[in-house]
């Protein structure tokens, strides 16, 4: 662990040193001492500043660096199977500690099947799970081997626009397919989650998000319907609770138990109006499947009367995702009875 | 922050606009209305961070310049169903076969107002590539490149004759490999009868359910071919690829009906359906290709069939499927170079030729 901290502490030095081309030599030598698994800071303005590349020359420079990152991080990405859960993970030190999502690890002391990037199968044991953040830890069994790894970075330093890469096993491990590589940008950083446009899907859960030096900055956790809503556990959730995770503690509740998975029907209305009139309906939403149309006024959900759009929101919150409720709507002066299956706002990926 | 008063004002000024019915328009659809533009500027700066934002794709304009001249739009009833790639000077064009329906005429938009009828020559069902022929001269064919970019390489997809030359950019996610083809599935249990198989169960989240097949329906024919006897139904279904469209002739309450079915595959279930629903618009025919590379460009199903290039502008393949939220597939140029002469030598309409190994 000490080496990660040192690597991380050196980072400000890296970015300042980048000002002069001459320091490139210095950079690589410093990096070599700090940890052989961290790439030198990118010497490309777009990657360094989290900005848009301006011409082909810069795109080419960017590509060269991104390909080096790919080469470095893909071999440290693993596929996991813990009980019924399939997911991904990343080896973060030579001893074989593997970061994953809490909803993949499940609980401490379970056996994990670990597929290395080349398909080799090894076994691990789940350690701590910090469910509130969806952070889980696994240790590869045995102490004699030295594992290729990607060190942890610092998620607190991320800003919107920073370039990042995601790897993982979308759809689960597939024989002959190495970990799948994606490039995107940080769209938002919050304490609970980093949002990027590195697209994720089931099977990616627990897989790593990297910065441009190949350091782990996040762990894939969940997605929203728009392709730009891919949420990652900030890596600092692991760093700040490291001892507890290593000791095999399990605490907190999965984000699934609160707002990310809140009941959802997919209508948009006008707040402050004196009726719950539907302004628009999301495509493929529970409301659309139930036959609710823009312009409908929702007057009852189950046995409860709906007065305003806010009252509709409150009523929906009282139902569980998956529950089927009857809905009365007023359409062109006619009252219609519809059947609505309540959905959830986000879907956890596995 | 001294920007705050300004922001507060902006929020106040546009809150009404946001409450308007179309004010929340999905971030994914590209139309830029004034409302949207203002909202993006004031409320949603994150949009400019997105990899597909014009501030990034514009840098790729010179990259797709040459490939663009070989990219066309395939139209059916005036609407774009796919992109196409010009493969020789005499009017041969390849595109994504399953985007074309049988017995329909197609037009090819060659740009600068030139539209012309296209004849369907042949197709390869394994790769889902169709060869079209138009009567037009002096077309600019693609130059296939056998450059093999490394994982992480930038890739760009050109649009035909629009103001925005680049549809999408992405990176190479996985080098060319076989994309497995699980067994095709309709999703019914049935009992054989003299009339034909009678449906005893329609499984959830399957092709049969989506198509509206019901218990007690008799399945008489698939694409006009009788499936009355023995195992004819599963055998016939197995001869198609997942994602292909078929016509089922059924009898329901003594009335004969025709149902259109987009076939699924084993492994389709409620979980896979949730994941597909989170993928945006996906191609129907999206798995099962003998060789394809995977990239993370976000395409629409009707944007497949055109060339995809690396940063040097080399055409390294054609996009063949939007497969999931994370994956688009493209057929490598080395495959197409062998495949196209086979398709050209097969002059009967709709003939199918085997894959070129």
């Amino acid at each position: 662990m000490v080496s990660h901290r040192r690597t991380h502490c050196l980072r400000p030095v890296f970015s300042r040193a980048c000002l002069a081309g001459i320091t490139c030599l210095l950079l690589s030598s410093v990096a070599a001492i700090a940890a052989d698994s961290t790439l030198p800071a990118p010497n490309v303005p777009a990657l360094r500043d989290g900005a848009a590349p301006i011409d082909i020359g810069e795109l080419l420079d960017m590509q060269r660096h991104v390909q080096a990152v790919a080469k470095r991080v893909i071999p440290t990405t693993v596929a996991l199977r813990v009980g019924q859960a399939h997911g991904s993970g990343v080896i973060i030190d030579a001893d074989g500690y593997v970061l994953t999502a809490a909803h993949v690890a499940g609980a401490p002391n379970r056996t994990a099947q670990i597929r290395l990037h080349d398909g080799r199968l090894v076994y691990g044991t789940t350690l701590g799970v910090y469910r509130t953040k969806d952070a889980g830890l696994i240790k590869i069994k045995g102490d004699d081997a030295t594992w290729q790894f990607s060190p942890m970075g610092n998620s607190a330093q991320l800003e919107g626009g920073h370039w990042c890469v995601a790897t993982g096993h979308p759809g689960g491990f597939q024989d002959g397919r190495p970990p799948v590589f994606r490039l995107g940008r940080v769209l938002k950083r919050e304490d609970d989650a980093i949002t990027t446009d590195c697209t994720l899907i089931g099977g990616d859960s627990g897989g790593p998000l990297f910065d441009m030096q190949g350091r782990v900055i996040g762990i894939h956790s969940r997605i929203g319907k728009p392709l730009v809503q891919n949420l990652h556990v900030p890596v600092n959730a692991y760093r700040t609770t490291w001892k507890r995770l290593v000791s095999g503690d399990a605490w907190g509740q999965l984000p699934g138990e609160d707002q990310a998975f809140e009941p959802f029907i997919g209508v948009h209305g006008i707040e402050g109006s004196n009726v719950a009139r539907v302004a628009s309906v999301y495509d493929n939403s529970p409301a659309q499947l139930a036959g609710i149309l823009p312009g409908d006024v929702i007057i009852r959900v189950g046995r409860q009367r709906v007065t305003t759009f806010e009252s509709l929101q409150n009523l929906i919150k009282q139902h569980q995702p998956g529950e089927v409720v009857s809905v009365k709507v007023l359409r062109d002066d006619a009252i219609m009875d519809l059947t609505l299956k309540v959905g959830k706002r986000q879907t956890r990926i596995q | 922050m001294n920007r705050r008063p300004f922001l507060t004002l902006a929020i106040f000024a546009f809150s009404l606009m946001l409450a308007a019915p179309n004010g929340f328009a999905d971030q994914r659809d590209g139309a830029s209305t004034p409302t949207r533009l203002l909202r993006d500027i004031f409320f949603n700066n994150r949009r400019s961070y997105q990899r597909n934002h014009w501030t990034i794709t514009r840098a790729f304009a010179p990259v797709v310049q040459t490939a663009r001249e070989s990219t066309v739009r395939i139209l059916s009833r005036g609407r774009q169903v796919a992109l196409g790639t010009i493969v020789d000077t005499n009017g041969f064009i390849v595109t994504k076969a399953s985007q074309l329906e049988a017995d329909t005429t197609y037009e090819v938009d060659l740009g600068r107002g030139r539209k012309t009828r296209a004849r369907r020559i042949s197709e390869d069902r394994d790769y889902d590539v169709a060869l079209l022929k138009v009567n037009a001269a002096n077309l600019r064919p693609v130059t296939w490149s056998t450059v093999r970019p490394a994982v992480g390489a930038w890739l760009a997809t050109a649009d035909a004759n629009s103001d925005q030359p680049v549809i999408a950019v992405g990176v190479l996610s996985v080098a060319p490999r076989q994309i497995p083809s699980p067994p095709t599935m309709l999703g019914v249990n049935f009992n054989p009868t003299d009339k034909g198989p009678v449906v005893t169960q329609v499984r959830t989240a399957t092709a049969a359910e989506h198509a509206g097949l019901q218990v007690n329906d008799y399945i008489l024919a698939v694409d006009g071919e009788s499936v009355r006897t023995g195992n004819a139904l599963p055998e016939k279904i197995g001869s198609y690829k997942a994602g292909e469209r078929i016509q089922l002739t059924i009898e329901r309450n003594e009335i004969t009906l025709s149902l259109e079915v987009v076939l699924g595959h084993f492994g389709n279930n409620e979980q896979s359906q949730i994941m597909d629903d989170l993928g945006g618009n996906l191609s129907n025919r999206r798995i099962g290709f003998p060789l394809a590379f995977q990239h993370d460009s976000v395409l629409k199903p009707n944007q497949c069939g055109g060339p995809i290039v690396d940063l040097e502008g080399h055409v390294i393949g054609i996009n063949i499927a939007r497969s999931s939220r994370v994956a688009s597939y493209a057929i490598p140029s080395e495959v197409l170079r062998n495949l196209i002469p086979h398709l050209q030598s097969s002059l009967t309409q709709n003939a199918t030729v085997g894959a070129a190994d």
Side-chain angles (χ1 to χ4, degrees):
Chain A
M1 288 315 299
V2 174
S3 65
H4 307 149
R5 296 242 166 77
R6 197 177 299 147
T7 312
H8 158 64
C9 290
L10 282 172
R11 194 182 181 235
V13 179
F14 280 3
S15 28
R16 264 172 234 142
C18 270
L19 289 172
I22 197 167
T23 51
C24 282
L25 274 173
L26 173 69
L27 277 179
S28 46
S29 60
V30 171
I33 296 162
D36 57 15
S37 43
T38 306
L39 285 166
N43 200 7
V44 185
L47 294 181
R48 198 178 53 215
D49 308 331
I54 53 166
D55 56 20
I56 298 183
E58 194 170 3
L59 286 170
L60 283 165
D61 289 345
M62 213 176 152
Q63 169 170 287
R64 212 167 292 125
H65 190 88
V66 169
Q67 286 175 330
V69 173
K71 221 170 173 177
R72 196 66 71 98
V73 301
I74 288 173
T76 67
T77 307
V78 300
L80 295 172
R81 185 166 176 187
V82 188
Q84 294 297 306
H86 292 259
S88 303
V90 59
I91 306 173
I92 54 97
D93 71 3
D95 295 339
Y97 280 99
V98 175
L99 303 191
T100 186
H103 76 268
V104 173
N109 275 318
R110 302 172 74 192
T111 297
Q113 275 187 18
I114 303 171
R115 289 277 189 173
L116 303 176
H117 73 103
D118 54 5
R120 259 185 304 152
L121 179 65
V122 297
Y123 288 89
T125 309
T126 62
L127 300 174
V129 285
Y130 180 9
R131 295 199 176 102
T132 319
K133 303 271 182 177
D134 199 14
L137 186 65
I138 291 175
K139 170 81 172 64
I140 304 179
K141 285 182 182 167
D143 292 325
D144 41 346
T146 301
W147 302 96
Q148 194 174 346
F149 68 97
S150 299
M152 291 192 279
N154 182 356
S155 48
Q157 291 177 344
L158 295 174
E159 283 170 34
H162 279 180
W163 291 87
C164 51
V165 306
T167 57
H169 289 271
F173 176 76
Q174 286 172 21
D175 213 11
R177 184 191 69 175
V180 174
F181 185 82
R182 283 143 280 177
L183 176 72
R185 299 175 84 186
V186 173
L187 305 179
K188 193 163 64 162
R189 174 178 59 81
E190 293 158 311
D191 286 344
D192 280 345
I194 302 161
T195 305
T196 73
D197 60 354
C198 290
T199 50
L200 308 174
I201 197 71
D204 274 319
S205 266
L209 182 74
F210 298 98
D211 68 10
M212 282 298 142
Q213 286 179 257
R215 295 176 299 202
V216 180
I217 50 171
I219 293 295
H220 313 326
S221 171
R222 49 203 188 270
I223 56 179
K225 184 145 181 144
L227 268 57
V228 293
Q229 264 181 30
N230 306 282
L231 279 69
H232 317 258
V233 184
V235 78
N236 288 13
Y238 297 80
R239 298 174 70 104
T240 53
T241 60
W242 185 256
K243 280 188 181 153
R244 213 170 163 187
L245 286 171
V246 171
S247 74
D249 199 1
W251 73 101
Q253 276 199 320
L254 277 179
E257 270 90 71
D258 51 76
Q259 157 263 344
F261 299 90
E262 70 183 45
F264 169 76
I265 63 167
V267 295
H268 191 79
I270 300 170
E271 291 180 12
S273 154
N274 58 358
V275 291
R277 187 181 295 281
V278 175
S280 46
V281 180
Y282 287 80
D283 274 350
N284 299 320
S285 63
Q288 193 187 51
L289 297 175
I292 293 173
L293 298 176
D296 286 356
V297 176
I298 299 182
I299 52 179
R300 260 179 204 276
V301 171
R303 291 180 180 177
Q304 308 279 332
R305 270 184 57 190
V306 179
T307 49
T308 60
F309 198 75
E310 288 84 346
S311 77
L312 173 67
Q313 290 169 327
N314 290 332
L315 277 173
I316 296 300
K317 278 185 194 147
Q318 292 166 20
H319 292 273
Q320 294 292 325
E323 210 178 308
V324 177
V325 291
S326 60
V327 174
K328 269 195 201 314
V329 304
L330 190 62
R331 181 182 303 165
D332 303 330
D333 297 330
I335 292 178
M336 304 184 66
D337 287 302
L338 303 174
T339 307
L340 174 74
K341 187 177 175 187
V342 178
K344 53 191 170 187
R345 190 172 296 278
Q346 290 182 348
T347 307
R348 186 183 301 141
I349 55 172
Q350 248 188 7
Chain B
M1 292 264 289
N2 53 5
R3 245 172 36 190
R4 192 163 280 169
F6 179 60
L7 266 180
T8 315
L9 185 71
I11 290 167
F12 181 74
F14 291 104
S15 51
L16 276 174
M17 204 178 278
L18 277 176
N22 59 0
F24 83 115
D26 195 312
Q27 294 192 11
R28 280 166 305 169
D29 64 50
S32 65
T33 61
T35 317
R36 190 185 181 90
L37 199 62
L38 288 168
R39 192 205 51 195
D40 286 346
I41 291 166
F42 291 109
F43 297 103
N44 201 8
N45 269 317
R46 281 188 284 144
R47 194 174 156 76
S48 69
Y49 294 144
Q50 289 172 25
R51 191 189 65 180
N52 227 24
H53 194 254
W54 64 271
T55 52
I56 291 168
T57 55
R58 68 177 166 183
F60 288 82
V63 172
V64 299
Q65 203 166 18
T66 309
R68 251 187 111 185
E69 295 176 10
S70 309
T71 309
V72 297
R73 290 180 173 173
I74 315 292
L75 310 173
S76 167
R77 299 180 199 97
R79 296 179 67 174
Q80 179 177 334
V81 293
L83 291 176
T85 307
I86 298 170
V87 297
D88 81 353
T89 48
N90 296 321
F92 281 108
I93 290 165
V94 292
T95 186
K96 179 167 171 63
S98 58
Q99 287 294 106
L100 313 174
E101 285 170 42
D103 312 323
T104 311
T105 55
Y106 289 92
E107 265 189 330
V108 172
D109 182 347
L110 297 163
R112 299 185 197 90
R114 275 203 298 168
K115 284 184 192 169
T116 176
R117 280 274 290 279
R119 203 155 52 90
R120 202 167 163 179
I121 303 295
S122 56
E123 67 179 69
D124 183 285
R125 279 174 58 196
D126 290 333
Y127 281 104
D128 197 24
V129 170
L131 183 73
L132 306 179
K133 175 80 171 69
V134 295
N135 287 324
N138 299 325
L139 297 178
R140 186 82 65 94
V142 284
T143 309
W144 302 115
S145 167
T146 47
V147 169
R148 291 179 167 213
V151 167
W154 275 121
L155 303 176
T157 299
D159 200 355
N161 51 70
S162 82
D163 300 339
Q164 298 199 328
V166 183
I167 289 178
V169 299
V171 294
L172 183 67
S173 295
V174 185
R177 72 184 202 278
Q178 186 189 349
I179 312 300
S181 182
T184 314
M185 184 173 80
L186 177 59
V188 295
N189 293 357
F190 64 91
N191 281 333
T193 70
D194 291 345
K195 233 193 257 181
V198 62
V199 177
T200 56
Q201 193 199 345
V202 178
R203 276 173 266 162
T204 53
T206 60
E209 189 187 63
H210 293 309
L213 220 59
Q214 296 175 5
V215 171
N216 293 331
D217 285 349
Y218 289 89
I219 300 175
L220 307 179
V222 175
D223 278 346
E225 192 179 305
S226 166
V227 288
R228 202 149 52 93
T229 52
N231 265 342
L233 177 63
E235 275 167 19
K236 181 73 181 162
I237 295 296
S239 72
Y240 291 92
K241 302 257 175 195
E244 286 188 329
R245 200 185 296 267
I246 58 167
Q247 290 291 332
L248 279 189
T249 310
I250 62 162
E251 189 186 303
R252 178 181 297 166
N253 303 329
E254 298 182 358
I255 297 167
T256 305
L257 301 169
S258 183
L259 277 189
E260 190 177 84
V261 182
V262 175
L263 288 170
H265 60 86
F266 279 85
N268 282 143
N269 54 34
E270 286 178 62
Q271 183 63 21
S272 69
Q273 194 178 326
I274 291 172
M275 291 301 149
D276 284 348
D277 287 346
L278 288 164
N281 290 326
L282 303 179
S283 305
N284 285 331
R285 172 84 169 82
R286 58 177 179 271
I287 53 167
F289 302 101
L291 196 71
F293 60 86
Q294 178 174 337
H295 60 100
D296 66 353
S297 313
V298 178
L299 301 170
K300 293 182 180 138
N302 70 356
Q303 292 170 333
C304 291
I308 181 163
V309 301
D310 69 4
L311 270 189
E312 274 97 38
H314 299 127
V315 176
I316 58 161
I318 66 166
N319 289 306
I320 204 62
R322 178 66 184 154
S323 189
S324 77
R325 181 179 171 103
V326 303
S328 296
Y329 292 133
I331 298 177
S333 290
E334 62 205 69
V335 170
L336 293 159
R337 279 219 299 213
N338 293 325
L339 189 62
I340 288 163
H342 279 265
L343 291 168
Q344 283 173 325
S345 66
S346 159
L347 288 170
T348 46
Q349 180 118 6
N350 288 337
T352 297
V353 301
D357 288 320

